[in-house]
Amino acid sequence: MAPGSPSERDADDARDAPHASKTQDLDWTESQRGSRFAFRRKQLASAAGGRELGCSLYEVPPGKRPWPTHYHEGNEEALYVLSGSGTLHTRDGAADIELLADTYVTLPAGADYVRQVENDGDEPLRYLAISTMNHPDVTVYPDSDKVGVFCGSAPGGESSDRTLHGYFPRDATVGYWDDEPTDEE
């Protein structure tokens, strides 16, 4: 193929062109933990080849929550409610937000933005969850006093791309030099 030929330009354009995903073409993944947590999810950004910005369609049944109370140290999130109703709970409850159709909520990184979605309505709560896909990220879970560490792929990204991923008690600390070989043998 000659450089700059129509076939070569078409191949280059296909690599750089925007990509799309349609919710109707994607399968739901489902998650349920105990009687409190359940959701269905379609990873829209991943299906469309997104790299720096994630977007998933969530559907949470009445009376359920998708995730434990948490916040991210490295990623900002946003929610856009499509249908249903619910509450975005904050850590102290003083800034809880009613989630109704056409509500958009920003959730910057950091401890000031502790969050948990709850469907306290009578029908499924459907919303788009949008996030930056920065890694590494540390996700903090204040109710259980643990942290999650994500390297190689952000939370919500491809878990197979992670080089380090784990959950640890928040107070599981060791000294910098603990267990390091400090003397020659």
Side-chain angles (χ1 to χ4, degrees):
M1 184 180 324
S5 70
S7 296
E8 186 176 278
R9 283 193 306 270
D10 290 346
D12 288 342
D13 290 345
R15 279 193 299 273
D16 296 332
H19 299 279
S21 61
K22 292 184 178 183
T23 59
Q24 66 193 25
D25 296 337
L26 302 176
D27 293 329
W28 287 103
T29 57
E30 296 189 31
S31 179
Q32 183 168 345
R33 298 288 186 271
S35 61
R36 191 173 193 191
F37 299 98
F39 66 86
R40 297 189 329 154
R41 176 183 183 188
K42 293 187 179 193
Q43 290 183 279
L44 305 175
S46 178
R51 296 179 190 127
E52 302 293 323
L53 191 61
C55 181
S56 290
L57 172 62
Y58 276 88
E59 185 175 274
V60 181
K64 304 293 182 186
R65 300 163 190 239
W67 304 106
T69 302
H70 70 283
Y71 64 91
H72 296 272
E73 289 288 0
N75 282 289
E76 182 169 348
E77 296 180 308
L79 307 176
Y80 180 73
V81 180
L82 301 168
S83 63
S85 63
T87 302
L88 179 71
H89 297 287
T90 60
R91 181 70 177 142
D92 61 7
D96 287 356
I97 296 173
E98 186 177 20
L99 299 175
L100 300 170
D102 293 329
T103 301
Y104 181 83
V105 180
T106 59
L107 298 161
D112 289 341
Y113 300 97
V114 172
R115 79 285 308 247
Q116 183 181 61
V117 171
E118 178 183 15
N119 180 349
D120 50 16
D122 297 328
E123 61 186 67
L125 173 63
R126 289 178 65 123
Y127 63 92
L128 295 175
I130 303 150
S131 66
T132 55
M133 298 295 284
N134 300 324
H135 61 91
D137 185 33
V138 174
T139 305
V140 180
Y141 301 87
D143 292 344
S144 57
D145 207 25
K146 69 180 178 226
V147 297
V149 177
F150 303 86
C151 299
S153 179
E158 292 296 324
S159 58
S160 62
D161 291 341
R162 294 202 180 118
T163 57
L164 175 65
H165 173 211
Y167 297 93
F168 309 94
R170 194 170 186 175
D171 63 356
T173 60
V174 296
Y176 181 80
W177 291 105
D178 289 0
D179 297 322
E180 293 294 333
T182 57
D183 294 314
E184 295 291 329
E185 291 186 28

